[in-house]
Amino acid sequence: MAKKRPQTKAVKPQTNSGEIPVVGAREPCPCGSGRRYKACHGRAAAHAVTELVQRPFEGLAGECDWVALRELVPAATVPLALKGGLPEGVPSVTLATVLPMAWPALRRDDGSVLLGLQNDTSSGDLSRDLADTLSRALTAEPGTPVAAQRVPADGPRLQDLLDENAAFEPVVHPGFEFWVPDSAENATPEVTASLERANAAAIPTVRLSGVDSAYWCETPEKNHLRWVMPHPEEQLLDALARLHAAGTSSLGEGTRLVGSFRAHGLMVPVWDLPSGMGAEECEKPAAELAERLAAALAADAPLSAEERRARGGLTNRQVTLS
């Protein structure tokens, strides 16, 4: 017979009532229970999140670029405009893909604010999480990072804080030197180490200028074009299937449409490119493809048998990122 395991009593948390700070999932829970955070108060926090919002950036200017910067682009910044203007003592607010040590936000010495986009969040509404971080960064002491925390379910969203009429124009950088705009020599050892790691991992990326929300990137084997599109998924799949069946879905010789991502409620078709095809060489064929796609999106005839097969192949090559 198997031996019975000794029964152990649950360890009672050693903290008084109050807010339990958010820590890493594998770290000891701050309540003092002795368990990891994810198995203790982190579990309760996970169940207390808001309902998952499929399109957290819907309604913001540049929704497709928000998705690209969240999921695809290593190093980029965008100036943000707030409703009612900037608070006194805050000269600027800038969205950044990543910040040193994965800080959610940073209030610089001069009072300016950097808001990190590619961070883990505590709720099902990324827009609400980012708005909470931004609100706290605006009132943080200059020269301090802003830590993560659980977000109130009734808190504001980015759509409540940002000026919906302001342009959203990402600037893609070759590296993360924008973290220390004055001089990397003045950075702390921790920031310097984080900068070196981030630069080493960054994939060269360029935003095309002739079409919206299309990003060329270079990898050792081949290059890619990843294009975030605003169209409803079913309609876009039909249109791409029409082009694919007609042999017009590529960007030229040696290129091919290989599939797509789903990210934050939008589709991101992906093309493989020859290693010698740079971002500039993508501009004209991407603009021409945009015209063909617009015509295919406007078509309302039922798909042919060949187009249905093409659609099935595209559907099978979809990957959901978020």
Side-chain angles (χ1 to χ4, degrees):
M1 292 178 63
K3 294 183 178 179
K4 292 184 177 180
R5 293 182 179 178
Q7 298 296 313
T8 58
K9 295 182 179 180
V11 179
K12 186 177 181 180
Q14 300 299 310
T15 186
N16 296 324
S17 60
E19 282 294 316
I20 303 299
V22 176
V23 297
R26 295 181 177 274
E27 295 181 30
C29 186
C31 76
S33 67
R35 291 178 291 175
R36 289 180 177 177
Y37 179 70
K38 69 175 183 178
C40 191
H41 279 81
R43 178 179 298 173
H47 287 294
V49 299
T50 57
E51 183 178 356
L52 179 64
V53 175
Q54 297 290 342
R55 288 179 63 180
F57 306 120
E58 186 176 14
L60 292 174
E63 179 188 6
C64 293
D65 284 306
W66 278 91
V67 172
L69 268 56
R70 167 72 181 183
E71 299 294 341
L72 307 175
V73 181
T77 56
V78 188
L80 296 180
L82 305 185
K83 289 182 177 179
L86 296 171
E88 185 177 356
V90 180
S92 64
V93 175
T94 303
L95 180 72
T97 48
V98 181
L99 295 179
M101 279 77 78
W103 289 328
L106 171 66
R107 182 88 185 272
R108 282 179 163 158
D109 291 335
D110 66 355
S112 61
V113 168
L114 286 177
L115 176 66
L117 182 57
Q118 295 180 12
N119 291 312
D120 293 334
T121 55
S122 62
S123 84
D125 187 351
L126 179 57
S127 177
R128 198 179 306 280
D129 293 327
L130 290 167
D132 178 80
T133 301
L134 174 57
S135 297
R136 291 185 290 118
L138 293 171
T139 59
E141 288 294 323
T144 61
V146 176
Q149 71 170 25
R150 291 200 297 275
V151 177
D154 59 350
R157 307 178 75 237
L158 287 174
Q159 289 81 347
D160 302 316
L161 302 183
L162 300 183
D163 182 353
E164 65 275 12
N165 296 317
F168 189 84
E169 296 291 342
V171 176
V172 178
H173 304 278
F176 294 86
E177 281 71 21
F178 64 85
W179 288 351
V180 282
D182 297 331
S183 172
E185 297 177 355
N186 298 329
T188 65
E190 292 82 6
V191 170
T192 299
S194 186
L195 176 63
E196 291 175 354
R197 290 192 300 269
N199 281 342
I203 296 174
T205 301
V206 176
R207 182 176 183 251
L208 299 193
S209 60
V211 294
D212 293 334
S213 311
Y215 291 81
W216 170 94
C217 69
E218 179 183 16
T219 62
E221 295 80 18
K222 61 186 70 176
N223 299 341
H224 305 280
L225 184 70
R226 301 179 291 187
W227 193 341
V228 187
M229 297 186 172
H231 317 291
E233 181 175 326
E234 297 301 314
Q235 182 185 5
L236 181 55
L237 280 170
D238 282 353
L240 290 172
R242 294 180 195 276
L243 297 182
H244 204 61
T248 59
S249 64
S250 77
L251 294 167
E253 184 178 357
T255 73
R256 66 189 185 104
L257 174 64
V258 293
S260 62
F261 300 125
R262 287 191 191 94
H264 304 290
L266 298 181
M267 264 187 66
V268 188
V270 178
W271 284 262
D272 277 355
L273 311 173
S275 58
M277 187 174 185
E280 290 186 3
E281 288 76 27
C282 286
E283 292 283 4
K284 183 178 179 181
E288 294 171 345
L289 178 63
E291 293 181 359
R292 298 196 298 272
L293 181 61
L297 287 166
D300 56 4
L303 296 181
S304 67
E306 187 176 359
E307 289 168 345
R308 289 197 300 272
R309 285 193 294 271
R311 192 186 195 282
L314 292 172
T315 302
N316 291 335
R317 296 195 298 275
Q318 281 186 307
V319 177
T320 300
L321 297 181
S322 57

